Amino acid sequence: MLYIEKKQEPNELIQEKRKGLTDYSNLSGKPKEAVQVSLLEEQGCLCAYCMRRISLENVQIEHYLPQHPQSENYDPALTIDYRNMLAGNKKQAGKFENLTCDQHRGNEPLIVDPRDPVSIEKIKYKTDGTICSDDAEIDKDLNITLNLNCPASYLKENRKAALDAVKQALHDKFPGKKVPKQQLERMLKQFQAKTNGRYAEFAGVIIWYLKRQIARA
């Protein structure tokens, strides 16, 4: 998972609110597409939760504070609050236990928050690609609510592959040697930045690894 710095809401959404938009269910057409494009730009075309590549063809607007149409505490205003919107992947199918991210979450509340850098710092990874946390509530979010270690999704294997590729690149450049801290810092900046508007897929696990190596250097 990556920290998402929320930007200004798109002008198209502002205009819709001025015209009387009060509920997300009534957002459609070009204004909705403008929101999707803005979210993709913020997130570097990665899902807010699993870090898989997403695009305008498969993006789904996710609400961090979920929509509760049958709840007494349901507030339609939250559904059109741009800060409450994230981009997820809508093209998932199959059994519920094989779904991930917002498709598996449903309306369950979350403690882990990709909009909060402190929350993201509580996430770590294992060498086999498992995403986890020492914080029990966040670990529950990652493993159960969002189902980010689901075997059927191959997310663990993909995170491991992304991490192993970086480890191999460092090994090839510095065979049998300690990697200089400056090299680790340069690589960290590379993965923290977007290339052509995109983050590297599964960049979160790589950033976590490089930060840990820098701290040990």
Side-chain angles (χ1 to χ4, degrees):
M1 201 174 292
L2 286 171
Y3 166 57
I4 298 168
E5 182 179 358
K6 297 298 293 180
K7 306 294 186 181
Q8 174 66 38
E9 64 183 329
N11 186 59
E12 291 86 347
L13 180 58
I14 294 173
Q15 293 303 318
E16 288 301 295
K17 291 178 182 178
R18 287 175 178 168
K19 293 177 185 177
L21 179 71
T22 59
D23 194 310
Y24 174 76
S25 62
N26 295 318
L27 180 65
S28 62
K30 291 296 182 182
K32 184 174 183 178
E33 183 175 313
V35 172
Q36 293 171 329
V37 169
S38 183
L39 293 173
L40 287 169
E41 289 174 352
E42 281 181 351
Q43 296 174 205
C45 296
L46 297 184
C47 172
Y49 301 128
C50 71
M51 301 180 291
R52 282 179 288 203
R53 178 73 62 216
I54 54 175
S55 67
L56 198 55
E57 286 67 43
N58 67 342
V59 67
Q60 173 165 294
I61 297 175
E62 152 76 345
H63 292 84
Y64 179 75
L65 295 175
Q67 302 182 68
H68 289 294
Q70 277 130 31
S71 169
E72 307 179 337
N73 300 319
Y74 175 63
D75 183 359
L78 283 174
T79 69
I80 56 170
D81 181 346
Y82 183 70
R83 179 166 172 76
N84 192 38
M85 296 180 185
L86 301 169
N89 183 352
K90 71 179 178 183
K91 287 192 176 178
Q92 295 190 51
K95 297 178 180 179
F96 175 73
E97 59 266 28
N98 294 335
L99 302 179
T100 65
C101 308
D102 49 298
Q103 299 287 314
H104 189 270
R105 173 200 180 186
N107 281 327
E108 286 297 311
L110 293 172
I111 299 298
V112 68
D113 187 349
R115 306 166 305 169
D116 178 10
V118 175
S119 183
I120 295 301
E121 288 298 321
K122 294 180 180 179
I123 295 172
K124 62 182 185 178
Y125 302 84
K126 297 180 181 178
T127 55
D128 68 349
T130 297
I131 187 172
C132 55
S133 177
D134 292 330
D135 182 304
E137 291 183 307
I138 290 179
D139 194 66
K140 175 180 177 291
D141 285 346
L142 301 173
N143 281 287
I144 299 175
T145 306
L146 296 171
N147 204 25
L148 297 182
N149 292 313
C150 169
S153 70
Y154 296 102
L155 286 173
K156 283 174 59 175
E157 290 83 354
N158 288 328
R159 288 190 294 259
K160 182 180 186 299
L163 183 56
D164 286 348
V166 168
K167 290 180 179 179
Q168 188 63 51
L170 290 171
H171 177 269
D172 292 346
K173 192 166 186 176
F174 302 97
K177 299 177 183 178
K178 183 177 180 180
V179 180
K181 185 176 182 180
Q182 294 83 352
Q183 174 64 32
L184 295 168
E185 290 172 338
R186 281 195 295 269
M187 186 172 279
L188 176 61
K189 287 182 180 180
Q190 173 189 337
F191 281 97
Q192 287 177 324
K194 299 169 187 170
T195 301
N196 297 323
R198 295 182 169 193
Y199 288 122
E201 199 170 17
F202 306 108
V205 63
I206 299 168
I207 290 170
W208 169 83
Y209 171 77
L210 291 172
K211 284 183 174 181
R212 190 176 65 161
Q213 295 304 111
I214 290 168
R216 293 175 174 177

